[in-house]
Amino acid sequence: MRRPMVVANWKMNTRASDAYILATTIRNAIAPIEGIEVVVCPPSIWLGEVSDILKKDGKVNVGAQNMFYEAEGAFTGEISPLMIVDIAKYVIIGHSERRAYFYENDFIVNEKVLAAIKHGLTPIICVGEKHKSSPISDAIKQLNEALTHLPKNRFKDIVVAYEPVWAINKGKVASMDHIVKAMIKIREVVGRDTPILYGGSVNTDHITDLAKRPEIDGVLVGSASIRAASFIKICQEWAATKSFKGCAA
Ligand code: PGA
């Protein structure tokens, strides 16, 4: 059975003291919540500190927001899977902001996915069509490219996040019809063992509606995840609703 998940993507936000307070507040609030997996992805510079804070209770997992695909070497400014693996369980790969601002293409995303798996990290693979008018098949193409050379028996070791680019950071989620359509198409590619998340302006207003859909295993939360109160509410709602509805097999 796939696990319901809530993933926080802090992006390039938080100074040291903010990260400390946010991580501590989240850890304490999540401690009594059962039935979901919560993952926090802070900026890489705070990975160690945030991981130390979150590990004290053991309930919240940590993820990196990005990594390079080489294990070590002369790659100034990059962080490698070997640096992350002792600290974090997850790594976000192929986020649309990486694709747009740092020119990551499908080849690079695929290399990163394979490297994450090779080194024992669970990649959260982000895919999504660019414009509201773009077809969902653009996201499916990205997904197929990202999974090149990954044997099907490893699909249980990945997470897919469907994030229509046009719904990211816009304050408005995609329509439920659209999200469910995409979830079904992604499920056809990855099979039954891969958790599939929705991301794009997730906030407290519509979290219950999203959680009610058995096709959606989890959410990837950006802006609402750097406000402790809203992120905690999202986790509480996800746990409360999913414990009744579960995830579709
Ligand atoms: P948002 O970001 O929730 O701020 O739209 C989501 C994401 O980019 O992962």
Side-chain angles (χ1 to χ4, degrees):
M1 172 104 174
R2 297 185 305 274
R3 56 202 182 279
M5 297 177 74
V6 177
V7 182
N9 177 9
W10 291 1
K11 306 193 180 183
M12 198 178 72
N13 294 296
T14 66
R15 297 176 70 164
S17 57
D18 306 324
Y20 179 89
I21 294 168
L22 190 53
T24 308
T25 311
I26 290 171
R27 178 196 65 196
N28 294 343
I30 299 304
I33 299 180
E34 299 290 343
I36 59 168
E37 181 173 3
V38 178
V39 181
V40 167
C41 304
S44 57
I45 193 166
W46 314 136
L47 266 175
E49 279 94 337
V50 166
S51 156
D52 286 347
I53 292 167
L54 296 177
K55 269 184 191 147
K56 281 199 185 114
D57 187 77
K59 264 284 193 54
V60 181
N61 280 311
V62 181
Q65 295 177 16
N66 177 40
M67 61 168 216
F68 192 45
Y69 49 76
E70 294 290 349
E72 59 190 354
F75 303 103
T76 303
E78 290 293 332
I79 59 169
S80 90
L82 289 183
M83 295 169 187
I84 299 169
V85 73
D86 294 330
I87 306 174
K89 181 174 174 195
Y90 291 92
V91 57
I92 298 174
I93 304 276
H95 191 281
S96 61
E97 286 148 17
R98 303 272 340 150
R99 295 178 193 258
Y101 303 129
F102 304 98
Y103 308 107
E104 286 193 11
N105 57 26
D106 289 335
F107 172 81
I108 294 173
V109 170
N110 177 235
E111 289 288 312
K112 290 185 174 190
V113 168
L114 297 175
I117 295 283
K118 177 177 171 193
H119 295 288
L121 288 158
T122 302
I124 300 172
I125 305 167
C126 297
V127 297
E129 73 280 3
K130 231 184 198 159
H131 307 289
K132 207 165 181 181
S133 55
S134 316
I136 292 173
S137 57
D138 287 2
I140 302 302
K141 183 174 174 296
Q142 285 178 338
L143 180 60
N144 280 314
E145 300 276 351
L147 298 178
T148 307
H149 303 308
L150 186 69
K152 284 208 161 61
N153 66 1
R154 301 308 302 267
F155 286 10
K156 63 181 184 339
D157 303 321
I158 62 170
V159 173
V160 174
Y162 170 65
E163 299 203 302
V165 179
W166 49 272
I168 292 178
N169 211 5
K170 297 285 186 299
K172 205 168 181 293
V173 288
S175 75
M176 196 60 80
D177 259 17
H178 184 92
I179 297 172
V180 168
K181 225 179 258 168
M183 294 283 145
I184 291 170
K185 285 193 181 347
I186 291 171
R187 179 67 60 212
E188 284 168 9
V189 175
V190 294
R192 57 183 297 173
D193 295 330
T194 306
I196 308 177
L197 320 181
Y198 167 76
S201 300
V202 172
N203 66 41
T204 49
D205 294 344
H206 40 252
I207 193 65
T208 311
D209 290 338
L210 290 168
K212 278 184 188 155
R213 297 301 315 208
E215 300 87 354
I216 308 173
D217 298 326
V219 278
L220 177 52
V221 190
S223 7
S225 76
I226 49 172
R227 295 187 300 272
S230 57
F231 185 67
I232 291 161
K233 178 101 194 299
I234 286 168
C235 294
Q236 287 167 338
E237 285 294 316
W238 205 259
T241 311
K242 281 298 182 199
S243 63
F244 292 110
K245 300 276 172 192
C247 300

